[in-house]
Structure formats: structure tokens, C-alpha cells
Amino acid sequence: MTPAPLLLRRTLVPLAVASAAAFAVAAGLAGRSSPGVEATFSFVVPLPPLEQRPASVSGGDRETSFEVLQAAELFAGTLTGWLSSADFAASSYARADIPFPKPTIRRLGRAFVAQRRGGQILDVRFRARSAEEARTLARAVAAELEERARTLDPGASERGFRVVASEPLVVAVSVSPSIRGLVAAIVLFVLGVNGVLLWDLLRGSPARMGD
């Protein structure tokens, strides 16, 4: 078996050339490919005006502001749960007539990232292939939420509960081709070093067994 330092010195130049080629190929492919866009928008559950509030459970003519705020927060929590479900993502993509890439239950469940920001406000983030697709999908998500809210509580709109969606903010995803190329070169170099050492070890094993 060849000593490791000597073996690595012999293979250093070929490994360096292969790593440089991997850097060039990966950087070139990254420069020509589009990583897509990232979109974010917000949903707000506004409090209904006083004249639209139902009777209070405590016996008053109208619900108090605290009771209405609690109901709005619970409603916003329900919206957050829907956004994290796989069936909601599948329905939203179908409504937008956009095929979901490689659909699985786990990937669908992670299609939208919903985060509560205050009791009645929640932010939604997702990825799309283009700005137009992101805006279409945002409209589909808002429509799906409104439809499910009506199904959950048909009288919600009469009591003033509704979902208000903001305009989506769409930003192009920026990925440096140099970083992708550097990662590819490092991975290839590390794998090459380990491959060379393993090959030499396996080659020397029969000789040691014969001794």
C-alpha cells in the first residue's frame, strides 16, 4: 500500500484539475438557470364595527372589544393551521392552475410558511418560478382561505369577520454562481481524496491477506 502523503502528492494535480472543471460547470449552470422568486404577503382579520357585533355571551347587547379580539385571534389561528396543511396547498395550487413540483405530503405541507405577527395578523411566505406565478398563487391562497372560512362558519361575514390580504411582495432569489461552483469544487475534491485513499486501501488488502 502506498503511503498516504505520497499517494496524495501524486493525485493532487488531477484532483485539482477535476475540481476546477467542476467549479466551471456548476457556476456556468447556475448562471444560466433561474432560481425563481420568493413572495410574501399578509392576512389581516379586522375587528367588525360595533353595529355588526353579535350579542355578548355575558348577556350584553353587543360583544365587548375584548371578546371580539379573542374571536379574531382564534380565527387567525385557524388560518395559520390551514396554511400549514398539505391539502390546503394542493387545493391552492389547483385553484391557481399551477402544477406543484414533485408533490409529496411533506413537500405540500411545507409549501407555505405562515407566521403569526400580532393577534390578527399573519405573514405568508412561499417560493414560485416567476413573479406572475407568485401573484397568481397569492390570489388563489386568499380565495381558498375565504372559501374555507365561509364553510367553517357561514355566518362569519354577516358578523363582520373577513380576511383581508395585502398585495404580495415578490423578490427574485439571488444565488451567486461562484458560491455554487465553489461548493461543487470542494465536494468533488473531498470525495476524490477519500476515493483515492479507499482505492489504495482496497488494492493493498489482497496483498496483506496473501502474506
Side-chain angles (χ1 to χ4, degrees):
M1 185 173 65
T2 307
L6 178 59
L7 182 63
L8 291 178
R9 282 199 298 270
R10 291 177 178 176
T11 57
L12 181 60
V13 173
L15 287 176
V17 172
S19 298
F23 175 88
V25 172
L29 292 176
R32 288 196 297 268
S33 62
S34 174
V37 299
E38 188 172 16
T40 180
F41 63 108
S42 300
F43 285 105
V44 181
V45 182
L47 297 182
L50 180 62
E51 60 274 8
Q52 289 184 296
R53 297 178 185 178
S56 174
V57 294
S58 59
D61 293 336
R62 300 291 180 185
E63 284 185 341
T64 64
S65 297
F66 179 72
E67 290 174 330
V68 174
L69 182 60
Q70 277 189 320
E73 289 181 353
L74 288 173
F75 188 52
T78 301
L79 301 183
T80 305
W82 280 336
L83 286 162
S84 303
S85 65
D87 68 297
F88 179 88
S91 299
S92 298
Y93 272 84
R95 183 185 289 270
D97 196 22
I98 297 174
F100 188 86
K102 299 179 181 179
T104 64
I105 298 298
R106 183 173 182 178
R107 287 171 60 87
L108 284 167
R110 297 166 59 184
F112 303 106
V113 178
Q115 182 178 6
R116 290 279 294 277
R117 183 165 53 85
Q120 307 154 246
I121 305 172
L122 63 110
D123 294 330
V124 183
R125 291 185 290 108
F126 61 93
R127 298 282 291 269
R129 291 174 296 184
S130 65
E132 181 180 357
E133 182 178 288
R135 294 187 178 92
T136 301
L137 190 54
R139 290 192 295 268
V141 169
E144 184 68 21
L145 280 178
E146 291 176 359
E147 181 177 323
R148 293 194 177 208
R150 287 194 299 268
T151 303
L152 176 69
D153 188 357
S157 59
E158 298 176 2
R159 293 194 300 271
F161 272 125
R162 55 197 175 92
V163 180
V164 179
S166 67
E167 285 295 320
L169 172 65
V170 181
V171 179
V173 177
S174 178
V175 179
S176 173
S178 299
I179 293 178
R180 286 193 174 184
L182 182 61
V183 170
I186 292 174
V187 170
L188 180 62
F189 185 82
V190 172
L191 291 178
V193 169
N194 285 276
V196 168
L197 295 175
L198 179 61
W199 175 79
D200 186 64
L201 177 64
L202 295 177
R203 187 184 61 174
S205 295
R208 289 197 302 271
M209 291 176 62
D211 295 341

